[in-house]
Amino acid sequence: MFETRVVSELSQKEIRDLLIDLGCDDEGIEIMAPKAEHFIIYAKNLDPRAANITKQEFLSAGGETAVAWKTLDLSIEKSEVLMMGTLAQYERVIKKLRAQPFDLEILAEEIERSVESYKNRIYPSDGGCEIMGILNVTPDSFFDGGRYERTEKAVERALQMEKNGADIIDIGGESTRPGSERVSIEKELERVIPVIEDLAPRIDIPLSIDTHKPEVAEEAVKAGADMINDVFGLRTEGMAKKVADLGVPVVIMHMQGRPKNMQENPSYRDVITDISTFFLQRIKEAKDAGIEDNNIIIDPGIGFGKRLEHNLEILKRLNEFTSFGYPVLLGASRKSFLGEILGKRADERLFGSLAVAASAVEKGASYLRVHDVKETRDVIKTVEAIRG
Ligand code: PT1
């Protein structure tokens, strides 16, 4: 009897080990290992002539590239392509594209960078996915009472999260849940600054300020915050410049609409492509403003102007965002899409949240923004142990 199994999705190292076990010689391994890895890469904004050349080069290398009918007869201004091939074929095509017109030299470079980033996910500092513990300093039941009491409780909770294994504490003074009203600069400062001032000298992990306002970002960093988490993705007037001046890392999150009305009618052509296009625009603006490449983190913004199907598509294809070469942050903890899947209230969504955490780590997320630090720590440790 034969024994046949599908063996796929292996890294170059795993492929090479398999070939050694099989008894291939060194020369054979060099030739075959790059043929065992496959990629499908999407690119848009190509001149249709460039798209056609790309298709020819892939076909000649034994791969394939899908283009629209309108690309073939040049009746379209810009083309999208879906390139398909083995690593070996990509290497051949990249060499050929370098000598071609219509910006194909640039496409060659971008393909190379995407593959490289996708294969070697970016991790913060010493590797491993990091936990960002959520500290909401907004008036809800937990923080009822006076300002002093509120600060005390918030500090206590942050220190507890540190003990439980958080790597970062994310402090927010303006709720951005669906339907939330805006908060004035003064109100937001009044909520978060005392907490940061009290906490900074007493805690060993970095503090993040969840704000889209340049004024709040500045005061928070002065008070001891180490990074900025911007759910508006640097779109508030003056924010990109402010973050550049402060010289701290920033999370650029995607949101369609504003919290007040973002869930009214979310719509996308393709949710992954649309969010990717948004990231590339925002990253360009961030860099133009003077923000350093290694200070940028991207976040697809689960629940921010997204229907259930959009949130699920993002989670399923989260790995695609790693090809830009920036760490990916995900915030899905206890969110309402879990309520839609499970039919459970926010306080009953722990296991759903942990399932999302496991899946996100597996797909290359570098940071998880969560309420349940202790439980998420175990999930990350376990998934990373399996991945090796
Ligand atoms: C997030 C995030 C955030 N989420 C980042 N910052 C919130 N970087 C606040 C719901 O559908 O994902 N990434 N800051 C909280 N926002 C929401 C949104 C909370 C939607 C709940 C929902 O329930």
Side-chain angles (χ1 to χ4, degrees):
M1 223 204 298
F2 298 116
E3 180 188 317
T4 55
R5 275 175 295 138
V6 176
V7 182
S8 61
E9 297 267 339
L10 300 179
S11 69
Q12 272 295 304
K13 164 118 192 17
E14 291 164 327
I15 291 161
R16 280 163 195 267
D17 288 346
L18 275 187
L19 294 176
I20 291 169
D21 288 348
L22 200 71
C24 301
D25 64 3
D26 288 353
E27 211 177 320
I29 291 173
E30 280 317 307
I31 294 168
M32 287 184 283
K35 295 184 180 179
E37 217 175 335
H38 298 73
F39 297 101
I40 304 169
I41 300 183
Y42 167 87
K44 69 175 205 181
N45 292 334
L46 275 74
D47 183 297
R49 294 167 296 183
N52 287 331
I53 293 173
T54 304
K55 185 176 177 73
Q56 289 167 10
E57 294 294 4
F58 266 98
L59 286 173
S60 119
E64 180 60 286
T65 293
V67 301
W69 266 112
K70 287 182 168 184
T71 296
L72 296 172
D73 66 5
L74 307 182
S75 67
I76 197 172
E77 208 165 299
K78 289 288 175 194
S79 294
E80 292 171 279
V81 296
L82 209 53
M83 298 170 274
M84 309 157 207
T86 63
L87 184 58
Q89 288 162 347
Y90 275 99
E91 282 168 358
R92 265 178 72 183
V93 169
I94 283 169
K95 257 190 220 141
K96 299 275 202 62
L97 293 183
R98 287 229 167 83
Q100 296 281 7
F102 313 124
D103 284 339
L104 282 170
E105 200 185 330
I106 299 171
L107 180 69
E109 234 169 80
E110 302 232 330
I111 295 171
E112 240 178 3
R113 187 189 42 77
S114 301
V115 170
E116 201 52 38
S117 305
Y118 182 86
K119 284 170 67 172
N120 311 302
R121 280 97 192 254
I122 313 289
Y123 284 115
S125 52
D126 51 346
C129 182
E130 295 202 343
I131 296 178
M132 178 183 251
I134 300 170
L135 189 66
N136 287 324
V137 199
T138 47
D140 57 20
S141 56
F142 183 77
F143 289 116
D144 265 355
R147 181 166 146 190
Y148 177 76
E149 196 191 343
R150 191 169 71 205
T151 304
E152 260 321 76
K153 278 188 177 168
V155 169
E156 225 172 84
R157 179 174 273 203
L159 293 171
Q160 189 58 49
M161 286 195 282
E162 182 187 33
K163 270 201 203 119
N164 288 347
D167 300 290
I168 303 168
I169 303 293
D170 187 42
I171 303 164
E174 177 178 16
S175 178
T176 50
R177 317 162 81 87
S180 297
E181 299 285 347
R182 295 198 211 186
V183 166
S184 70
I185 295 170
E186 293 69 31
K187 235 246 132 63
E188 202 178 327
L189 286 171
E190 187 186 303
R191 289 175 183 172
V192 299
I193 299 302
V195 177
I196 298 171
E197 280 175 344
D198 271 25
L199 198 50
R202 295 175 59 188
I203 201 160
D204 291 324
I205 56 177
L207 302 180
S208 155
I209 174 71
D210 187 342
T211 191
H212 66 91
K213 301 187 182 84
E215 297 85 355
V216 176
E218 175 162 22
E219 292 307 315
V221 170
K222 273 193 203 159
D226 306 277
M227 77 186 262
I228 293 160
N229 174 20
D230 185 356
V231 299
F232 276 91
L234 303 175
R235 285 175 294 172
T236 307
E237 176 75 33
M239 188 61 165
K241 183 71 177 38
K242 179 59 70 190
V243 172
D245 290 346
L246 294 170
V248 294
V250 61
V251 179
I252 298 178
M253 198 197 78
H254 173 271
M255 166 165 26
Q256 187 178 88
R258 293 198 150 256
K260 181 85 186 117
N261 57 16
M262 63 189 177
Q263 290 307 107
E264 275 165 24
N265 194 19
S267 94
Y268 296 87
R269 185 172 159 255
D270 172 78
V271 69
I272 307 300
T273 306
D274 292 0
I275 293 173
S276 298
T277 303
F278 169 89
F279 282 148
L280 294 180
Q281 283 167 349
R282 302 318 305 152
I283 289 166
K284 180 175 185 314
E285 192 152 320
K287 294 213 271 194
D288 287 349
I291 297 174
E292 283 177 38
D293 233 3
N294 55 11
N295 271 343
I296 295 173
I297 297 160
I298 55 176
D299 177 351
I302 293 291
F304 288 89
K306 282 125 191 155
R307 295 179 204 283
L308 175 61
E309 72 212 62
H310 299 137
N311 290 316
L312 294 175
E313 183 89 5
I314 291 166
L315 294 174
K316 186 158 93 180
R317 298 170 62 187
L318 194 69
N319 51 356
E320 294 183 34
F321 296 118
T322 63
S323 29
F324 298 123
Y326 298 92
V328 173
L329 183 147
L330 191 83
S333 186
R334 301 188 194 169
K335 283 186 180 172
S336 54
F337 78 99
L338 291 167
E340 288 181 65
I341 299 170
L342 304 170
K344 292 190 166 173
R345 299 188 316 264
D347 64 346
E348 303 172 315
R349 296 176 194 160
L350 172 62
F351 298 107
S353 301
L354 296 177
V356 174
S359 166
V361 176
E362 176 64 24
K363 290 183 187 334
S366 295
Y367 300 90
L368 298 179
R369 182 182 181 278
V370 303
H371 299 90
D372 306 286
V373 172
K374 211 176 191 170
E375 294 83 352
T376 307
R377 179 46 71 203
D378 283 357
V379 167
I380 294 175
K381 269 192 192 158
T382 309
V383 174
E384 287 184 341
I386 295 169
R387 215 169 48 186

mmCIF file with all atom_site columns, all heavy atoms in Angstrom, residues 69-86:
data_model
loop_
_atom_site.group_PDB
_atom_site.id
_atom_site.type_symbol
_atom_site.label_atom_id
_atom_site.label_alt_id
_atom_site.label_comp_id
_atom_site.label_asym_id
_atom_site.label_entity_id
_atom_site.label_seq_id
_atom_site.pdbx_PDB_ins_code
_atom_site.Cartn_x
_atom_site.Cartn_y
_atom_site.Cartn_z
_atom_site.occupancy
_atom_site.B_iso_or_equiv
_atom_site.pdbx_formal_charge
_atom_site.auth_seq_id
_atom_site.auth_comp_id
_atom_site.auth_asym_id
_atom_site.auth_atom_id
_atom_site.pdbx_PDB_model_num
ATOM 1   N N   . TRP A 1 69 ? -9.780  40.878 -18.334 1.00 0.00 ? 69 TRP A N   1
ATOM 2   C CA  . TRP A 1 69 ? -9.915  40.907 -19.793 1.00 0.00 ? 69 TRP A CA  1
ATOM 3   C C   . TRP A 1 69 ? -9.499  42.257 -20.361 1.00 0.00 ? 69 TRP A C   1
ATOM 4   O O   . TRP A 1 69 ? -8.814  42.351 -21.365 1.00 0.00 ? 69 TRP A O   1
ATOM 5   C CB  . TRP A 1 69 ? -11.373 40.641 -20.196 1.00 0.00 ? 69 TRP A CB  1
ATOM 6   C CG  . TRP A 1 69 ? -11.607 39.193 -20.472 1.00 0.00 ? 69 TRP A CG  1
ATOM 7   C CD1 . TRP A 1 69 ? -12.369 38.335 -19.738 1.00 0.00 ? 69 TRP A CD1 1
ATOM 8   C CD2 . TRP A 1 69 ? -11.061 38.425 -21.546 1.00 0.00 ? 69 TRP A CD2 1
ATOM 9   N NE1 . TRP A 1 69 ? -12.319 37.081 -20.284 1.00 0.00 ? 69 TRP A NE1 1
ATOM 10  C CE2 . TRP A 1 69 ? -11.527 37.106 -21.404 1.00 0.00 ? 69 TRP A CE2 1
ATOM 11  C CE3 . TRP A 1 69 ? -10.211 38.711 -22.617 1.00 0.00 ? 69 TRP A CE3 1
ATOM 12  C CZ2 . TRP A 1 69 ? -11.182 36.094 -22.284 1.00 0.00 ? 69 TRP A CZ2 1
ATOM 13  C CZ3 . TRP A 1 69 ? -9.870  37.709 -23.503 1.00 0.00 ? 69 TRP A CZ3 1
ATOM 14  C CH2 . TRP A 1 69 ? -10.351 36.413 -23.324 1.00 0.00 ? 69 TRP A CH2 1
ATOM 15  N N   . LYS A 1 70 ? -9.932  43.305 -19.667 1.00 0.00 ? 70 LYS A N   1
ATOM 16  C CA  . LYS A 1 70 ? -9.660  44.664 -20.152 1.00 0.00 ? 70 LYS A CA  1
ATOM 17  C C   . LYS A 1 70 ? -8.169  45.013 -20.122 1.00 0.00 ? 70 LYS A C   1
ATOM 18  O O   . LYS A 1 70 ? -7.761  45.970 -20.756 1.00 0.00 ? 70 LYS A O   1
ATOM 19  C CB  . LYS A 1 70 ? -10.443 45.687 -19.320 1.00 0.00 ? 70 LYS A CB  1
ATOM 20  C CG  . LYS A 1 70 ? -11.923 45.665 -19.630 1.00 0.00 ? 70 LYS A CG  1
ATOM 21  C CD  . LYS A 1 70 ? -12.660 46.731 -18.834 1.00 0.00 ? 70 LYS A CD  1
ATOM 22  C CE  . LYS A 1 70 ? -14.075 46.881 -19.378 1.00 0.00 ? 70 LYS A CE  1
ATOM 23  N NZ  . LYS A 1 70 ? -14.785 47.950 -18.695 1.00 0.00 ? 70 LYS A NZ  1
ATOM 24  N N   . THR A 1 71 ? -7.409  44.226 -19.376 1.00 0.00 ? 71 THR A N   1
ATOM 25  C CA  . THR A 1 71 ? -5.960  44.450 -19.368 1.00 0.00 ? 71 THR A CA  1
ATOM 26  C C   . THR A 1 71 ? -5.367  43.988 -20.694 1.00 0.00 ? 71 THR A C   1
ATOM 27  O O   . THR A 1 71 ? -4.493  44.636 -21.270 1.00 0.00 ? 71 THR A O   1
ATOM 28  C CB  . THR A 1 71 ? -5.312  43.667 -18.205 1.00 0.00 ? 71 THR A CB  1
ATOM 29  O OG1 . THR A 1 71 ? -5.803  44.195 -16.976 1.00 0.00 ? 71 THR A OG1 1
ATOM 30  C CG2 . THR A 1 71 ? -3.804  43.787 -18.228 1.00 0.00 ? 71 THR A CG2 1
ATOM 31  N N   . LEU A 1 72 ? -5.887  42.861 -21.192 1.00 0.00 ? 72 LEU A N   1
ATOM 32  C CA  . LEU A 1 72 ? -5.320  42.261 -22.400 1.00 0.00 ? 72 LEU A CA  1
ATOM 33  C C   . LEU A 1 72 ? -5.454  43.190 -23.600 1.00 0.00 ? 72 LEU A C   1
ATOM 34  O O   . LEU A 1 72 ? -4.529  43.300 -24.399 1.00 0.00 ? 72 LEU A O   1
ATOM 35  C CB  . LEU A 1 72 ? -5.994  40.907 -22.678 1.00 0.00 ? 72 LEU A CB  1
ATOM 36  C CG  . LEU A 1 72 ? -5.745  39.844 -21.601 1.00 0.00 ? 72 LEU A CG  1
ATOM 37  C CD1 . LEU A 1 72 ? -6.588  38.611 -21.854 1.00 0.00 ? 72 LEU A CD1 1
ATOM 38  C CD2 . LEU A 1 72 ? -4.258  39.475 -21.554 1.00 0.00 ? 72 LEU A CD2 1
ATOM 39  N N   . ASP A 1 73 ? -6.612  43.885 -23.735 1.00 0.00 ? 73 ASP A N   1
ATOM 40  C CA  . ASP A 1 73 ? -6.754  44.774 -24.902 1.00 0.00 ? 73 ASP A CA  1
ATOM 41  C C   . ASP A 1 73 ? -6.485  46.239 -24.531 1.00 0.00 ? 73 ASP A C   1
ATOM 42  O O   . ASP A 1 73 ? -6.846  47.148 -25.264 1.00 0.00 ? 73 ASP A O   1
ATOM 43  C CB  . ASP A 1 73 ? -8.127  44.586 -25.568 1.00 0.00 ? 73 ASP A CB  1
ATOM 44  C CG  . ASP A 1 73 ? -9.272  45.024 -24.672 1.00 0.00 ? 73 ASP A CG  1
ATOM 45  O OD1 . ASP A 1 73 ? -8.991  45.564 -23.578 1.00 0.00 ? 73 ASP A OD1 1
ATOM 46  O OD2 . ASP A 1 73 ? -10.437 44.826 -25.066 1.00 0.00 ? 73 ASP A OD2 1
ATOM 47  N N   . LEU A 1 74 ? -5.855  46.446 -23.373 1.00 0.00 ? 74 LEU A N   1
ATOM 48  C CA  . LEU A 1 74 ? -5.419  47.776 -22.926 1.00 0.00 ? 74 LEU A CA  1
ATOM 49  C C   . LEU A 1 74 ? -6.569  48.780 -22.808 1.00 0.00 ? 74 LEU A C   1
ATOM 50  O O   . LEU A 1 74 ? -6.368  49.975 -22.951 1.00 0.00 ? 74 LEU A O   1
ATOM 51  C CB  . LEU A 1 74 ? -4.333  48.341 -23.860 1.00 0.00 ? 74 LEU A CB  1
ATOM 52  C CG  . LEU A 1 74 ? -3.099  47.475 -24.129 1.00 0.00 ? 74 LEU A CG  1
ATOM 53  C CD1 . LEU A 1 74 ? -2.120  48.224 -25.033 1.00 0.00 ? 74 LEU A CD1 1
ATOM 54  C CD2 . LEU A 1 74 ? -2.392  47.075 -22.841 1.00 0.00 ? 74 LEU A CD2 1
ATOM 55  N N   . SER A 1 75 ? -7.792  48.294 -22.592 1.00 0.00 ? 75 SER A N   1
ATOM 56  C CA  . SER A 1 75 ? -8.931  49.205 -22.499 1.00 0.00 ? 75 SER A CA  1
ATOM 57  C C   . SER A 1 75 ? -9.202  49.616 -21.053 1.00 0.00 ? 75 SER A C   1
ATOM 58  O O   . SER A 1 75 ? -10.308 50.002 -20.699 1.00 0.00 ? 75 SER A O   1
ATOM 59  C CB  . SER A 1 75 ? -10.175 48.552 -23.116 1.00 0.00 ? 75 SER A CB  1
ATOM 60  O OG  . SER A 1 75 ? -10.568 47.437 -22.331 1.00 0.00 ? 75 SER A OG  1
ATOM 61  N N   . ILE A 1 76 ? -8.203  49.515 -20.210 1.00 0.00 ? 76 ILE A N   1
ATOM 62  C CA  . ILE A 1 76 ? -8.347  49.846 -18.798 1.00 0.00 ? 76 ILE A CA  1
ATOM 63  C C   . ILE A 1 76 ? -7.138  50.703 -18.418 1.00 0.00 ? 76 ILE A C   1
ATOM 64  O O   . ILE A 1 76 ? -6.069  50.578 -19.026 1.00 0.00 ? 76 ILE A O   1
ATOM 65  C CB  . ILE A 1 76 ? -8.407  48.533 -17.972 1.00 0.00 ? 76 ILE A CB  1
ATOM 66  C CG1 . ILE A 1 76 ? -8.956  48.756 -16.573 1.00 0.00 ? 76 ILE A CG1 1
ATOM 67  C CG2 . ILE A 1 76 ? -7.045  47.862 -17.901 1.00 0.00 ? 76 ILE A CG2 1
ATOM 68  C CD1 . ILE A 1 76 ? -9.197  47.422 -15.840 1.00 0.00 ? 76 ILE A CD1 1
ATOM 69  N N   . GLU A 1 77 ? -7.332  51.597 -17.447 1.00 0.00 ? 77 GLU A N   1
ATOM 70  C CA  . GLU A 1 77 ? -6.228  52.510 -17.125 1.00 0.00 ? 77 GLU A CA  1
ATOM 71  C C   . GLU A 1 77 ? -5.198  51.858 -16.205 1.00 0.00 ? 77 GLU A C   1
ATOM 72  O O   . GLU A 1 77 ? -4.005  51.935 -16.426 1.00 0.00 ? 77 GLU A O   1
ATOM 73  C CB  . GLU A 1 77 ? -6.794  53.767 -16.473 1.00 0.00 ? 77 GLU A CB  1
ATOM 74  C CG  . GLU A 1 77 ? -5.922  54.988 -16.706 1.00 0.00 ? 77 GLU A CG  1
ATOM 75  C CD  . GLU A 1 77 ? -6.671  56.264 -16.377 1.00 0.00 ? 77 GLU A CD  1
ATOM 76  O OE1 . GLU A 1 77 ? -7.711  56.541 -17.018 1.00 0.00 ? 77 GLU A OE1 1
ATOM 77  O OE2 . GLU A 1 77 ? -6.230  56.949 -15.448 1.00 0.00 ? 77 GLU A OE2 1
ATOM 78  N N   . LYS A 1 78 ? -5.709  51.220 -15.146 1.00 0.00 ? 78 LYS A N   1
ATOM 79  C CA  . LYS A 1 78 ? -4.826  50.551 -14.183 1.00 0.00 ? 78 LYS A CA  1
ATOM 80  C C   . LYS A 1 78 ? -5.296  49.107 -14.000 1.00 0.00 ? 78 LYS A C   1
ATOM 81  O O   . LYS A 1 78 ? -6.490  48.843 -13.952 1.00 0.00 ? 78 LYS A O   1
ATOM 82  C CB  . LYS A 1 78 ? -4.861  51.268 -12.833 1.00 0.00 ? 78 LYS A CB  1
ATOM 83  C CG  . LYS A 1 78 ? -4.167  52.626 -12.855 1.00 0.00 ? 78 LYS A CG  1
ATOM 84  C CD  . LYS A 1 78 ? -2.657  52.472 -12.952 1.00 0.00 ? 78 LYS A CD  1
ATOM 85  C CE  . LYS A 1 78 ? -1.979  53.832 -13.103 1.00 0.00 ? 78 LYS A CE  1
ATOM 86  N NZ  . LYS A 1 78 ? -0.578  53.685 -13.521 1.00 0.00 ? 78 LYS A NZ  1
ATOM 87  N N   . SER A 1 79 ? -4.341  48.206 -13.849 1.00 0.00 ? 79 SER A N   1
ATOM 88  C CA  . SER A 1 79 ? -4.688  46.786 -13.740 1.00 0.00 ? 79 SER A CA  1
ATOM 89  C C   . SER A 1 79 ? -4.344  46.212 -12.373 1.00 0.00 ? 79 SER A C   1
ATOM 90  O O   . SER A 1 79 ? -3.398  46.632 -11.735 1.00 0.00 ? 79 SER A O   1
ATOM 91  C CB  . SER A 1 79 ? -3.922  45.982 -14.800 1.00 0.00 ? 79 SER A CB  1
ATOM 92  O OG  . SER A 1 79 ? -4.350  46.345 -16.078 1.00 0.00 ? 79 SER A OG  1
ATOM 93  N N   . GLU A 1 80 ? -5.153  45.241 -12.005 1.00 0.00 ? 80 GLU A N   1
ATOM 94  C CA  . GLU A 1 80 ? -4.836  44.414 -10.838 1.00 0.00 ? 80 GLU A CA  1
ATOM 95  C C   . GLU A 1 80 ? -4.313  43.090 -11.377 1.00 0.00 ? 80 GLU A C   1
ATOM 96  O O   . GLU A 1 80 ? -4.767  42.644 -12.438 1.00 0.00 ? 80 GLU A O   1
ATOM 97  C CB  . GLU A 1 80 ? -6.100  44.105 -10.038 1.00 0.00 ? 80 GLU A CB  1
ATOM 98  C CG  . GLU A 1 80 ? -6.712  45.292 -9.342  1.00 0.00 ? 80 GLU A CG  1
ATOM 99  C CD  . GLU A 1 80 ? -8.072  44.912 -8.776  1.00 0.00 ? 80 GLU A CD  1
ATOM 100 O OE1 . GLU A 1 80 ? -9.046  44.909 -9.548  1.00 0.00 ? 80 GLU A OE1 1
ATOM 101 O OE2 . GLU A 1 80 ? -8.143  44.611 -7.585  1.00 0.00 ? 80 GLU A OE2 1
ATOM 102 N N   . VAL A 1 81 ? -3.428  42.463 -10.641 1.00 0.00 ? 81 VAL A N   1
ATOM 103 C CA  . VAL A 1 81 ? -2.943  41.143 -11.055 1.00 0.00 ? 81 VAL A CA  1
ATOM 104 C C   . VAL A 1 81 ? -2.892  40.206 -9.850  1.00 0.00 ? 81 VAL A C   1
ATOM 105 O O   . VAL A 1 81 ? -2.792  40.651 -8.706  1.00 0.00 ? 81 VAL A O   1
ATOM 106 C CB  . VAL A 1 81 ? -1.520  41.199 -11.682 1.00 0.00 ? 81 VAL A CB  1
ATOM 107 C CG1 . VAL A 1 81 ? -1.514  41.998 -12.967 1.00 0.00 ? 81 VAL A CG1 1
ATOM 108 C CG2 . VAL A 1 81 ? -0.508  41.761 -10.688 1.00 0.00 ? 81 VAL A CG2 1
ATOM 109 N N   . LEU A 1 82 ? -3.008  38.921 -10.154 1.00 0.00 ? 82 LEU A N   1
ATOM 110 C CA  . LEU A 1 82 ? -2.820  37.892 -9.142  1.00 0.00 ? 82 LEU A CA  1
ATOM 111 C C   . LEU A 1 82 ? -1.727  36.970 -9.668  1.00 0.00 ? 82 LEU A C   1
ATOM 112 O O   . LEU A 1 82 ? -1.944  36.241 -10.639 1.00 0.00 ? 82 LEU A O   1
ATOM 113 C CB  . LEU A 1 82 ? -4.131  37.134 -8.944  1.00 0.00 ? 82 LEU A CB  1
ATOM 114 C CG  . LEU A 1 82 ? -4.391  36.531 -7.573  1.00 0.00 ? 82 LEU A CG  1
ATOM 115 C CD1 . LEU A 1 82 ? -4.249  37.559 -6.467  1.00 0.00 ? 82 LEU A CD1 1
ATOM 116 C CD2 . LEU A 1 82 ? -5.780  35.917 -7.537  1.00 0.00 ? 82 LEU A CD2 1
ATOM 117 N N   . MET A 1 83 ? -0.538  37.079 -9.063  1.00 0.00 ? 83 MET A N   1
ATOM 118 C CA  . MET A 1 83 ? 0.605   36.293 -9.530  1.00 0.00 ? 83 MET A CA  1
ATOM 119 C C   . MET A 1 83 ? 0.656   34.969 -8.774  1.00 0.00 ? 83 MET A C   1
ATOM 120 O O   . MET A 1 83 ? 0.361   34.938 -7.578  1.00 0.00 ? 83 MET A O   1
ATOM 121 C CB  . MET A 1 83 ? 1.901   37.085 -9.296  1.00 0.00 ? 83 MET A CB  1
ATOM 122 C CG  . MET A 1 83 ? 1.930   38.387 -10.067 1.00 0.00 ? 83 MET A CG  1
ATOM 123 S SD  . MET A 1 83 ? 3.297   39.475 -9.586  1.00 0.00 ? 83 MET A SD  1
ATOM 124 C CE  . MET A 1 83 ? 2.570   40.338 -8.201  1.00 0.00 ? 83 MET A CE  1
ATOM 125 N N   . MET A 1 84 ? 1.018   33.898 -9.490  1.00 0.00 ? 84 MET A N   1
ATOM 126 C CA  . MET A 1 84 ? 1.041   32.570 -8.870  1.00 0.00 ? 84 MET A CA  1
ATOM 127 C C   . MET A 1 84 ? 2.306   31.850 -9.273  1.00 0.00 ? 84 MET A C   1
ATOM 128 O O   . MET A 1 84 ? 2.629   31.791 -10.451 1.00 0.00 ? 84 MET A O   1
ATOM 129 C CB  . MET A 1 84 ? -0.149  31.731 -9.362  1.00 0.00 ? 84 MET A CB  1
ATOM 130 C CG  . MET A 1 84 ? -1.478  32.428 -9.245  1.00 0.00 ? 84 MET A CG  1
ATOM 131 S SD  . MET A 1 84 ? -2.670  31.714 -10.400 1.00 0.00 ? 84 MET A SD  1
ATOM 132 C CE  . MET A 1 84 ? -3.734  33.134 -10.659 1.00 0.00 ? 84 MET A CE  1
ATOM 133 N N   . GLY A 1 85 ? 2.994   31.333 -8.277  1.00 0.00 ? 85 GLY A N   1
ATOM 134 C CA  . GLY A 1 85 ? 4.189   30.586 -8.633  1.00 0.00 ? 85 GLY A CA  1
ATOM 135 C C   . GLY A 1 85 ? 4.924   30.053 -7.430  1.00 0.00 ? 85 GLY A C   1
ATOM 136 O O   . GLY A 1 85 ? 4.563   30.329 -6.290  1.00 0.00 ? 85 GLY A O   1
ATOM 137 N N   . THR A 1 86 ? 5.953   29.274 -7.718  1.00 0.00 ? 86 THR A N   1
ATOM 138 C CA  . THR A 1 86 ? 6.812   28.780 -6.650  1.00 0.00 ? 86 THR A CA  1
ATOM 139 C C   . THR A 1 86 ? 7.843   29.864 -6.346  1.00 0.00 ? 86 THR A C   1
ATOM 140 O O   . THR A 1 86 ? 8.047   30.774 -7.158  1.00 0.00 ? 86 THR A O   1
ATOM 141 C CB  . THR A 1 86 ? 7.560   27.506 -7.075  1.00 0.00 ? 86 THR A CB  1
ATOM 142 O OG1 . THR A 1 86 ? 8.412   27.850 -8.173  1.00 0.00 ? 86 THR A OG1 1
ATOM 143 C CG2 . THR A 1 86 ? 6.604   26.406 -7.487  1.00 0.00 ? 86 THR A CG2 1
#
